[in-house]
Amino acid sequence: MNRHLRKAAAAALAVGALVALSGCVGSGSAPAAGGGADSLTIWHAYAGQADKVEFMKWAMDGFKKEHPEAKIKEVSAEQSSYKTKLQTAMSTGDAPDVFYTLPGGFLDAFVKSGQVADLDDALAEDGWGDSFIPAAMDSVTFDDSTYAVPIDIDAAVVWYNKALFEKKGWTTPKTWDEFVQLSEKIAADGIVPVALGNKDSWPATFWFQYGQMRTEGSGLVTDFLNGGKIALDAKGAEPLQTLAQKKLLPTGANGMSDQEANLLFLNGQAAMVLNGTWQIGMSADAPAGFELGYFPFPTVAAGKGDQTDTLAGVAAAFAISEKAKDKKLATEFLQYMTSPDVMKKYVELRKTMVTLKGATTPDVAGPVLSGIVSDIIEPAGHLDPFYDTALPPKATTVYYSTLQGLIEGSVDAQQAVDAINEAISAGK
């Protein structure tokens, strides 16, 4: 899932047309949500995008072959309408047996209203629960019980031009101080250290959030959404402020698109970029001689956060309704969807990371993506979800505009976090 699709998924509130795929559901009718014994109604959002449709057709065909006697009803909707469709079904008590869900607060709202079955006993059997990357389970676990199985992950890492680094004799930094020193050396060589195109506002959020994670810790926005207080700190805003003040960003970064910044990176005019794992696809058409490398966001001296934490979010999960009549069959579907063969097929068709250990392998994902999983994702103490996909709309607008001000110098680090904290606290 690229950044724009991830943002669209997080903000999907408009009601669209329901798309019915293969199964026992006719294209012109909407089925009753929950099924009876030996039957299963499955709702998901794998529609409207070729790789999603291809994967889900392959997966559903396989599950039906394994359960030829079961009556499987499949209902699919595009992301733009799915959230509202599911929320409506939940509010009317007509939940499907199995449903695709966003993790975190979206799922927790259903959990708190008693509409989701916990998976604790099933996950404890035969090592199923241990098969997942541990940090990926945080966003589907509430009050020590797990209510869904996570499927895939988007993550942000620092990307660099390996060929350029080798030519110049530069080494990848491990600490923030080393990162700044390297960036100043790169700038002195006439190359832009960091390719940041913030015209669409979201690229700067990675720098701000990693700053908060390293200095204060992960979960700051998540804790607020779960009833706590927001406490973003000025020290966490200093990395982005430092890049701007030391002129380590492209000239006019706020007016440059992420695509334009990417061209600087691919053409050797910029050395590094902090971006999501979709950077692999964005680098596919790089000029000859370019070689994509990556390293984790640098550690910050005396930082309170776990320095292995990664800015990453579970993009999707599957859960079971508390009202499902055949929970055994529903559980078998979740186990099937998270089995090695199915998860490897997901990686092969969608070219994204999955939460199952050992499934994002070089043969299906390529060496870069599989390396990120083994080097950064699996060792991470926590995966901290992207702030901007979790915040309410008005707070997100303030978040974006304030970081633009931080880059241009109209606000400092303290003023930035004061404005963002105030907007988040307002809860709008």
Side-chain angles (χ1 to χ4, degrees):
M1 178 185 293
N2 65 31
R3 168 69 185 190
H4 302 292
L5 292 175
R6 183 177 67 77
K7 286 285 295 173
L13 296 174
V15 179
L18 182 67
V19 181
L21 294 182
S22 61
C24 300
V25 182
S27 60
S29 62
D38 299 322
S39 69
L40 206 60
T41 299
I42 301 168
W43 285 16
H44 63 79
Y46 292 114
Q49 188 177 325
D51 58 341
K52 291 182 177 182
V53 173
E54 183 180 1
F55 164 73
M56 204 61 192
K57 184 181 184 305
W58 180 90
M60 291 303 301
D61 286 347
F63 185 72
K64 290 172 184 177
K65 287 179 182 178
E66 290 186 7
H67 299 82
E69 304 302 320
K71 298 177 181 179
I72 309 297
K73 296 179 181 180
E74 179 189 2
V75 176
S76 169
E78 294 190 31
Q79 274 288 8
S80 58
S81 62
Y82 182 81
K83 273 181 70 174
T84 301
K85 176 72 180 177
L86 182 61
Q87 287 171 322
T88 301
M90 290 293 191
S91 66
T92 58
D94 199 24
D97 300 314
V98 173
F99 58 94
Y100 167 108
T101 178
L102 299 179
F106 183 80
L107 172 62
D108 192 29
F110 302 141
V111 171
K112 287 178 177 175
S113 60
Q115 299 187 80
V116 189
D118 77 68
L119 304 176
D120 295 340
D121 290 343
L123 288 167
E125 293 180 4
D126 301 321
W128 185 30
D130 293 332
S131 67
F132 296 95
I133 296 170
M137 303 302 283
D138 292 347
S139 63
V140 293
T141 300
F142 311 98
D143 296 326
D144 298 323
S145 286
T146 301
Y147 291 89
V149 288
I151 301 297
D152 55 357
I153 300 173
D154 285 331
V157 301
V158 183
W159 303 92
Y160 72 102
N161 185 336
K162 290 181 71 174
L164 182 61
F165 267 56
E166 290 173 3
K167 178 182 177 181
K168 298 292 186 178
W170 301 329
T171 57
T172 56
K174 290 183 170 52
T175 70
W176 178 250
D177 288 342
E178 291 173 355
F179 184 90
V180 173
Q181 291 167 8
L182 171 64
S183 296
E184 291 175 328
K185 182 185 297 185
I186 292 171
D189 209 350
I191 297 171
V192 177
V194 175
L196 175 64
N198 199 47
K199 184 177 181 179
D200 294 324
S201 302
W202 56 262
T205 66
F206 298 162
W207 292 98
F208 179 86
Q209 186 169 345
Y210 258 124
Q212 297 296 327
M213 291 166 60
R214 292 292 185 261
T215 59
E216 297 300 308
S218 296
L220 300 179
V221 168
T222 301
D223 289 346
F224 168 77
L225 296 173
N226 289 332
K229 292 183 178 181
I230 190 66
L232 301 175
D233 191 85
K235 288 185 178 179
E238 288 176 0
L240 180 58
Q241 179 177 259
T242 297
L243 295 180
Q245 290 180 340
K246 289 181 175 289
K247 302 186 184 306
L248 303 176
L249 304 174
T251 301
N254 277 336
M256 180 180 290
S257 71
D258 65 307
Q259 293 93 340
E260 291 169 330
N262 187 54
L263 285 177
L264 293 179
F265 179 56
L266 299 185
N267 291 327
Q269 296 169 279
M272 299 176 288
V273 62
L274 177 59
N275 206 0
T277 41
W278 53 86
Q279 181 65 44
I280 297 171
M282 292 177 69
S283 302
D285 296 325
F290 177 90
E291 185 179 359
L292 186 65
Y294 63 86
F295 57 88
F297 193 88
T299 62
V300 173
K304 299 176 185 176
D306 184 332
Q307 301 298 301
T308 68
D309 285 0
T310 299
L311 173 51
V314 171
F318 275 97
I320 298 173
S321 169
E322 185 61 56
K323 293 183 177 180
K325 291 185 173 64
D326 196 337
K327 288 190 174 63
K328 180 177 182 295
L329 183 61
T331 300
E332 289 174 359
F333 177 75
L334 266 58
Q335 291 170 329
Y336 167 82
M337 288 294 290
T338 57
S339 63
D341 287 345
V342 175
M343 286 287 87
K344 286 184 178 181
K345 190 69 173 181
Y346 191 97
V347 176
E348 175 190 336
L349 294 178
R350 303 214 59 221
K351 298 304 179 187
T352 190
M353 296 182 292
V354 291
T355 59
L356 192 73
K357 294 176 183 176
T360 309
T361 55
D363 58 320
V364 293
V368 176
L369 188 59
S370 62
I372 289 173
V373 173
S374 60
D375 297 341
I376 298 178
I377 299 296
E378 289 185 350
H382 304 87
L383 302 181
D384 200 27
F386 300 90
Y387 289 171
D388 57 337
T389 63
L391 295 174
K394 289 185 179 179
T396 300
T397 298
V398 172
Y399 183 36
Y400 286 163
S401 63
T402 302
L403 295 188
Q404 287 186 324
L406 189 62
I407 290 172
E408 67 185 22
S410 60
V411 298
D412 62 22
Q414 187 62 59
Q415 292 169 327
V417 296
D418 287 346
I420 296 169
N421 281 335
E422 181 179 354
I424 295 174
S425 296
K428 297 178 180 180

